[in-house]
Amino acid sequence: MDKESIIEILNAVAEGEITVSEAELRLKLEPFEELGFASVDHHRGLRQGVSEVIYGGGKTPEQIVKIAMALINKGQKTILITRLSKEKADIVNKDMDMQYYEMGGIGVVGSIPEPNTKGTILIVTGGTSDMPVAEEAALTCRVLGNNVKCLYDVGVAGIHRLLAHSRDIMNANVIIAVAGMEGALASVVGGLADCPVIAVPTSVGYGASFGGLSALLSMLNSCASGVSVVNIDNGFGAGYMASMINHIGGK
Amino acid sequence: MDKESIIEILNAVAEGEITVSEAELRLKLEPFEELGFASVDHHRGLRQGVSEVIYGGGKTPEQIVKIAMALINKGQKTILITRLSKEKADIVNKDMDMQYYEMGGIGVVGSIPEPNTKGTILIVTGGTSDMPVAEEAALTCRVLGNNVKCLYDVGVAGIHRLLAHSRDIMNANVIIAVAGMEGALASVVGGLADCPVIAVPTSVGYGASFGGLSALLSMLNSCASGVSVVNIDNGFGAGYMASMINHIGGK
Amino acid sequence: MDKESIIEILNAVAEGEITVSEAELRLKLEPFEELGFASVDHHRGLRQGVSEVIYGGGKTPEQIVKIAMALINKGQKTILITRLSKEKADIVNKDMDMQYYEMGGIGVVGSIPEPNTKGTILIVTGGTSDMPVAEEAALTCRVLGNNVKCLYDVGVAGIHRLLAHSRDIMNANVIIAVAGMEGALASVVGGLADCPVIAVPTSVGYGASFGGLSALLSMLNSCASGVSVVNIDNGFGAGYMASMINHIGGK
Amino acid sequence: MDKESIIEILNAVAEGEITVSEAELRLKLEPFEELGFASVDHHRGLRQGVSEVIYGGGKTPEQIVKIAMALINKGQKTILITRLSKEKADIVNKDMDMQYYEMGGIGVVGSIPEPNTKGTILIVTGGTSDMPVAEEAALTCRVLGNNVKCLYDVGVAGIHRLLAHSRDIMNANVIIAVAGMEGALASVVGGLADCPVIAVPTSVGYGASFGGLSALLSMLNSCASGVSVVNIDNGFGAGYMASMINHIGGK
Amino acid sequence: MDKESIIEILNAVAEGEITVSEAELRLKLEPFEELGFASVDHHRGLRQGVSEVIYGGGKTPEQIVKIAMALINKGQKTILITRLSKEKADIVNKDMDMQYYEMGGIGVVGSIPEPNTKGTILIVTGGTSDMPVAEEAALTCRVLGNNVKCLYDVGVAGIHRLLAHSRDIMNANVIIAVAGMEGALASVVGGLADCPVIAVPTSVGYGASFGGLSALLSMLNSCASGVSVVNIDNGFGAGYMASMINHIGGK
Amino acid sequence: MDKESIIEILNAVAEGEITVSEAELRLKLEPFEELGFASVDHHRGLRQGVSEVIYGGGKTPEQIVKIAMALINKGQKTILITRLSKEKADIVNKDMDMQYYEMGGIGVVGSIPEPNTKGTILIVTGGTSDMPVAEEAALTCRVLGNNVKCLYDVGVAGIHRLLAHSRDIMNANVIIAVAGMEGALASVVGGLADCPVIAVPTSVGYGASFGGLSALLSMLNSCASGVSVVNIDNGFGAGYMASMINHIGGK
Amino acid sequence: MDKESIIEILNAVAEGEITVSEAELRLKLEPFEELGFASVDHHRGLRQGVSEVIYGGGKTPEQIVKIAMALINKGQKTILITRLSKEKADIVNKDMDMQYYEMGGIGVVGSIPEPNTKGTILIVTGGTSDMPVAEEAALTCRVLGNNVKCLYDVGVAGIHRLLAHSRDIMNANVIIAVAGMEGALASVVGGLADCPVIAVPTSVGYGASFGGLSALLSMLNSCASGVSVVNIDNGFGAGYMASMINHIGGK
Amino acid sequence: MDKESIIEILNAVAEGEITVSEAELRLKLEPFEELGFASVDHHRGLRQGVSEVIYGGGKTPEQIVKIAMALINKGQKTILITRLSKEKADIVNKDMDMQYYEMGGIGVVGSIPEPNTKGTILIVTGGTSDMPVAEEAALTCRVLGNNVKCLYDVGVAGIHRLLAHSRDIMNANVIIAVAGMEGALASVVGGLADCPVIAVPTSVGYGASFGGLSALLSMLNSCASGVSVVNIDNGFGAGYMASMINHIGGK
C-alpha cells in the first residue's frame, strides 16, 4: 500500500466521505486487494501456455463434460482429463469427442500437440505393474508438448536390463523413474544419469510395502543426488514437473 | 575431472595440439579394477559435470582433509563439504584453507565459481528456524555455479509477506521452498510460480510435527502442480537438483 | 459428603439399623450419588437448548425412527441425523417426515430454525471433493441456529481465489476450514482471519495422504495462531464447536 | 499497533483533531516492500488486535532483546515471550525489564493488562506434570486480557476430584483441558461443559504414549461434542484460541 | 476332558472302583507322538479346565462341524464357536444343533452351564456400536460359568449415565470395559472400581481412530491403576481373561 | 486409610466401643470441597483398599518428602514410591527413612507387609535386561501384600529354560510376563499356564523394536488365551493388577 | 576400460573419424557396456538351473499363457506361476496344460522335478489360517528340487504340539516358519533348531496385528540367532531362499 | 509319555503311594519334562560347535568377565562379545586377555579359529558409515570359522563401483548386504548374485530414514529373489545366519 492510497483514505475520513469503520476495513484489506491476483493468474496462463487439466477423480461424468465444454468455448485446444475410469469415459464420450487411454486412465479432448521443445523426457519403470502410473506420466508429458521415450520393466533385480539402455539415460533431458516395492530404481538411475530425476513411488507391492510407503521412503532417502519425489502413484505430477523442467531451455 | 576438461583434451587431440599418448596420460581414464575409489569419482564428475562434494556427516576431520587433498591434487578447483560442524571445521582449517559457513554447516575449499548460467534460483523459507537448511541449499547452488536469491521468513501465516515478493517468484527459474511445521509454503509458492518448485521439509516444529513428518506429508500431497520433494532437512539435495534444472538451458 | 451425613450413617450403625457392610458401601458411594448428575444433565439441556442430534452411523433405520419418535414425543422441534446414507434415509422417510440432504448425508426432522445469533459462520473448502464434509458442517450450524456462508474450492494452489474473498474472511465470527490433501488452507485462512478457525482435515487425497493423516498433521502444526482441529471428516464436530463459539456473544 | 489505536487515530482525523499527514505519520502504514519485517507485525496486530508475541524457541537471547526493543519503541505495551528457558531469560533480563515465569517458560515485558472481557477461561489439567503446558496457556490468556481460573490434577482416574468442581465447569466461557497419557480428561470435561473446550494433549507419559500421540488421538476422537484440539504441548495455541473465543462477546 | 473328570477317574482308581488298565483306557493320556492333535486338546482342557472353544474366523462350516462333532464324541458338553457369521451359522445348523447369537457372532453347542462361581463380571460399553464386541465377551463369560451383568452405552461424554451405576461397579468382581473412539471409558471405570478392569478397544470410530489404534493407545496409557488391555475387538479374549480371574476365588 | 481400618471403626461403633463422634473424628471422611487433595487419596484408599503409591517420575525430592510425610501423619503404614532415581532417593533419604531398591527404581517408606493372601504371583522375564521392569513389578506386589516368585532370563530362544520351571507356572495364581524384543514369552507362558497372565512389554531391544512397540504388538496379538497387556515398561501397573487379581479369593 | 580402448578412441578423434562429442559419449558409456551383463544373466541361468517363475499377481491370463508358451519354446521344462487365482487358472487351463494348487494359489506347468539335493526343508505354521502362505512356500521348494516336510498348526500357544516334532526340527537342513498374529513361532523354532530359519510373517490376525506388521516386527526382533525374515505373506520368497540354502551343499 | 509311565502313575495311585492330586500334577507336567530339553541344548551344542557369544549391550564389565571366565573354565576356546563399548572393553581387559575391535564394537577372547569350511562370505556396504555394522558381521563370521571378504562403499549411486566387483559376487557362497538410507544395495546385489543374500538395514541416514525404517522396508520389499532380512544394525545376526548357511555344505 503506497503512501498515496493511505492519504487518500485518511482524506476521505477527514472529509466525512467514508466512516471510520469503513476506513478500518479498507486499511485491513488493502495489502491483498492491491496485488491484483486475477492478473497474476492471467500472466501465468500467458507464459506457460499449458494445456488445461481436469482432475477426473472426484467428479461425475456430467461435471467433467460441463467443465471441458466451458474450456473449449474459451478457446482451449487440448484438455487433459486424469484419473478417469473406463465407465466414466464411456459416458463422457457420448457427449463429446474424447480420446481415451485406458491403461493410464487418461482422456484427451482435442489433439495432442507437436513437441515444442527439443529435449527428451525418459520414463522408466521397475516392473510391468507400474505401467499405468507411467502411462499417466507419459500422456501428461505429451499433452504438454514434450518428446517422450518409455522403458518399461527395467527394474534393478536384473540390472543388465537397465544398463542396456544407458545411452537413453545419458541422452535424456529429464528422467521419470516409476517403481513400487522397494523403489531402488530411482537411486540406480539417479547414479547413472546427469540430468534431473523425478521419482514416482507406486502402490505396487504387498505386505510391508504398506501401499507405497516403502518405495516412497526409499526414494526420499536416495543416496544419489539429483532425485526428487512426488506423491505415491502421482504420474500426472511427475509428468507436469518434468515438462516444466524440459521447457526451461526454451525460456 | 569435469566435462569441460575432457572436451578440452579431446579438442586438443582433434586439433593436433597434443599427442594421443599425452591425452591418454592426462585423461587417466581408469578401468575401475586398477585405479580404485578416487578414479571412480573422476568418472562420476565426468558424467554429472559438477564440482566435487564431500558428505562430512559421518567422517572424521582427518578423513575429510585426506579426501579433499586427494581431490585438489587431481585438479579439483572447488570442493563443497556438507554437514560439517564448527568443531570439525576448526580442525580441518588447521590443515588446509577452507571457508566455513556456520549457519549452513558448510565448508568450501577453493573459490566459489562465478555463475555459469543466467537463470536465478529463488530460495524461500517459512520461518527463521528454517534458515540453516536454506543456507545449505543456497551454498550448494552457489558452488555449483548458480545465481541465488533468498527470502527468509515468508511463511503462509502472514501471506502478505510472501505476496509482497511475487515479482521474485515470477522471475525465478527454479524455486526451493524450505519449511517445517505444516509445510504449507510449498503449496502456496507452487500455486504462484510458473517454474519448478523443489520442496524441502524441515524438522522445525514440535509435538505432532514428528521430526518433519508433518511437513513432508504436506509437501508430497501438495495440491499445486510442479512441486517435487526431497528428504527432510536435505538442503544439499534440493540445491543440487535445482542446479541441475537451472543448467538445462545451457546444455 | 458433609459431616451430618457421616454422623447419620454412623448413628445408624451404632443403633444397629444398618449393618457394617451396608455402611461401608454407603460411605464408598456417597461422593458420586450426592452430586445429583441427572440434574446436571437437565441443567445442560436447559441452558444450551440445542437441537437434539442422532449419530446415524452405526444405527439401523428402525433404531433411528424409534429414537426420533421418542424425542418428538418429548417436545423436541428439530432433530439432526448425521452420517445417514441414501438407503437408510429412504427407509426412515417411509415412517416419518424427514428432509434429506444427500451431499452431507444429513437428515433433518422438523424445520431448520431461524438464526438466533447475529454473527456469521464462514465455511471454506480447499476443493470440490471436500464439499460433503463442508455440507455436514453447514447443516449442523444451520440446525443449531446460525447464519452460514460457504466458499467452496478456494484452495491455496490458486491463492487469488481465496484472497478474492478476504472481506468475507474479515467479517466472519468463526471460520470452518475444510481441506484434504496437504491441508494448507487452515494456515492461510488462520493467517488472514482475526476470528477463531476450526480446521477439519478430510480424507480427500490418495497415496501419502494416508486417509487424511497428512491434512490432520498439517493442521495441528499450523504456524497460524487461532486454529484448532477436529477429527478427520468430522464436519458435524466442527459445526457444533463453531455454533458454541458463535453463541457466546449472546450468553 | 492494536485495533483500538488505529480507530483512535481515525477518529481523531474524523473529528479534525489531527491532520491527515500527522495521521499518516502516526499510522506508519507500511507498504511491505519498504519497511520490512517489523511492519508486517504491525499490520498483523491490526488484523488480529492482540498483544505482540515472540516465539522464543529458536531464537538467541540477543535476537529476543532486539525484537522486543523494537516493539517497545513502536509503542507496544505488553510483549509475551514463549518457550523461554531459564538460561535465556537470565540473559534477556540483563538488558531489559522482563518478568519471568519459570514453570510455563514465559517472559512478559510490560504489565499484564486488566481483563477486558467478562467471561472466564477455565484451565484444567489431568496431572501435576501437565502444569507447565497449562501455565503457558494461562499466562497467554492473561496477557491477552482474560480472567483465568486453573484446576490442576483433576484427572479422570479420580473422577470425584473433577466432579467436585462442576460449578466452575458450568460457569466457564471457554475451557482448556490439558492432559497427557490417555487424554481422557477432554472427553469427560466436554461431556460436563456447555461451552467450547480446547483440548491440549501433552507429551507427559512413557512407553505407548509415543510422545503425546496417544493423548492427541484420544482427544481428536472425543465422543463429546464441542471439543477441538491443538498440537501436543501447545499451551500458547490453546490460550490464544481460547482468548479469541472469549472476546467474541465483546465484538 | 476337564480337571474334574480326571480327578474322578483317579479317585475311582484310588478307591478300587475301576482297575488301573480301565483307567488308562479312559484317560487316553496321549503321548503327543502317538495320538496327535485332537488329544492335545484334551490335555489342554486338563491344564486349563475350560469348555472348548473353536475360533470360527478362518474355518469353513464343514471344518467347524467336524471339529465340534469330534469334541462332542469325546464328551465335551459345551462348545463355544467365535467369529461365526450368520451365513456360516446357517450351514452349521443344518448338521448339528447349535444356538446362534447373531450380535456377538457366537455359536454355542450344548447348554450354557450354570455359573460355578459367585462373583459377577460387569461388562460396560461406551456406545451402542460397541455392543457386538461386548456380546462376544458376555457369551464367552457365560459359557465359561460366570454371572454376567451388562451396561451398554454408558460412555464418558455423559458421565452421569456411568455414575448412576456406581453400585454395580463397586460390587463387581471383574469389569470388562469396551469402548472405541477415544477409549476413555477404561480410565474412568478404572478410577471408580476396586476390582481388576479388562479394557477392550474397539474399531468403532472413523478418521483418526485408525481402526481402533486411538482407543488402544488410550487404554494402554490409562492413568488409573488396575487396568490391562487386550487386542482391538477381542471380546472373547477379555471374557476368557475375566473368567479366569473370576474363578480364582474358588481355586 | 485402608478398607480394614474403616470396617474396624465401624465395628467399634456397632459394638459400642467408641462413640459416634469419636468415629467421625477418626474417619475424617472429607467432603472434597473442604479438605482437598490429600483427603481425596484417603477416600480412594477406601475404595481400592491398598497401600498408598507416589509416582516419583515428575516430582522433585522435596515434593515427594512432603506428600509422604502427610500420608504418614494420617496413619499410612507403608508408602511405595515408583520411578525414583538414585539421585532423588539420596535426597529423600536425608529427610526421612526410606528403603531404596535401585534396580527397580523403587523406594519404600515403612515396612513391607506380610503377605495377606495365599496365592503366589510368578514373575518371569525374557532376558536379564528386563529385570528393572520386573523388579518394579515384584516390589509393587510385595508392598501390596503378595507372595512373589521371580524367574529371570527364561526367554523363548532357549525354551527348555522356561519348561524347566513348568511346576512354578502350574502353581502360580497370577503370572506377570516381562519381555522386550519380540515379546514371545507372553504367548508361550500363556499357553502353558492355567491362570491369568499379565504381559509387560519392555523397551529392551534396538532397531525395529521401536522402543517396545514390537513387544507390545506381539503381546496384544498373543495366540494364547488369558493374556492381557499393560503399557511398555509399566512394571508397577502389572504388579498392581496382579495384586488385585491375587486378592480376589479373599474378598 | 583398458588402455587400448581409450587410445583407440583418442586415435579416432585425432584422425577425425569420430567427433569430439561422439568420443565424449563413448568415454562416458564404456564402463557399463564393457561389463557385458547379458552374459552374466546367461551364466546365472547356467549355474542355478532353477525353474522359471512367473509372478501371476498383476498379469492377465492371456499374458501368463503368452510368457509360459515362450518359455516352453525355449526348452523350459517346469514353470511355476505364483499368486494365481482360481478364476485366472481356469482361463489359463483352457490354453495349456497346467496343474493348479488352489490353497497356495500356484500353477505348475510341466512336471515337478525329483529332488536334486539330499537335505530336507521343514515348513511349520502357527495356525491353520497360515496354510496358504505355507503352501506357496512348499510348492516353490518342490518345483525348485527340494524334499519338503510340512507341520501345520503347531503354534506356541500349545508349545507341546511343537515340541512333539523336535526330531523333525533337529533333522531339517533349513526351516521355514510361517506365522501371523504375534509371530512367536519363529523365535521358538529358532531356539530349538540348529539350521537357518526363514521366517514368514503372515497377515493372519485382526486389530493390532495391522495386516501382519505385528508378526513382522516380532520376527525381526527375534531373540533367537539364525533367523532372517522375508516380506509379509511372501511364501514364494521364503521357498526360493530356502532352496538356495538347501542347494549349497551340492555346489 | 508312554503307556508304561501312565500305568506306573496309576498303579502308584491305586496302591496309595501317591495322592490323587500328586498324580494329577505329574500327569500335567510329564509331557514337558519327559522331552528332556536340557539334553536338547546339549545336543545342539554338540552338533553346532559354535563359539559362545555374549551380548555385551546391557551388561556391566564385571558381569561380562564373570560369564566369560565361567565359559573358559568349561573349556570354551573362543568367546565373542558383541555391542561392547571402548570404555567397557578397557575395564574387561584389566581382568582378562581380550582382543578388542573398536569399529565393530567387538571383543574376542581366545584366538579366532581357522576357517573350517571352504565357501566365502562376501560382505558389501553401501557407504563408509555402514562399516561398523559390517565389521560386527565380519568378525562374527570369522569367529564362527568362515572365510570373509569385505567390499566397502559400493553403493548403488555409483553402480559401476559395485559392478567392478561382479566376480566376487559370483564366487561368494553367501552375501551380507549392509546399507542404510534407501537400502537399494540389497536388491541390486540380489539381482546379480546366485547365492543367498542376507540384508542388514542400518540406521545410517537422517530425516525420512526414520532410524533405519526406510532401509528395512526397502529390503523386505526387494524385487530380487533370494534376499532375506535381519533387524536394523544387526550385524551379528546377519553374520550368524550367514555362517549357518556357509556350513551347510560340510554337514
Side-chain angles (χ1 to χ4, degrees), chain C residues 48 50 114-119 121 141-147 173-174 239-251, chain D residues 173 194 196 248-249:
Chain C
Q48 285 199 317
V50 305
E114 285 302 297
N116 55 6
T117 177
K118 272 201 252 171
I121 297 173
C141 291
R142 288 201 179 98
V143 166
L144 297 178
N146 300 277
N147 290 298
N173 220 17
V174 197
Y240 192 99
M241 180 82 178
S243 174
M244 269 192 165
I245 297 174
N246 197 36
H247 280 80
I248 283 185
K251 239 179 161 174
Chain D
N173 221 15
D194 60 346
I248 283 185

Side-chain angles (χ1 to χ4, degrees), chain H residues 53-97:
Chain H
V53 182
I54 300 171
Y55 179 82
K59 302 204 178 66
T60 63
E62 292 70 29
Q63 290 176 313
I64 292 169
V65 168
K66 214 162 145 187
I67 299 173
M69 287 300 190
L71 290 169
I72 289 170
N73 290 341
K74 280 176 188 150
Q76 187 77 32
K77 283 180 193 148
T78 315
I79 301 165
L80 180 73
I81 307 164
T82 63
R83 306 263 158 160
L84 189 65
S85 65
K86 181 82 176 65
E87 291 67 33
K88 283 190 190 174
D90 288 346
I91 302 175
V92 169
N93 258 328
K94 286 180 192 158
D95 285 324
M96 59 189 302
D97 209 39

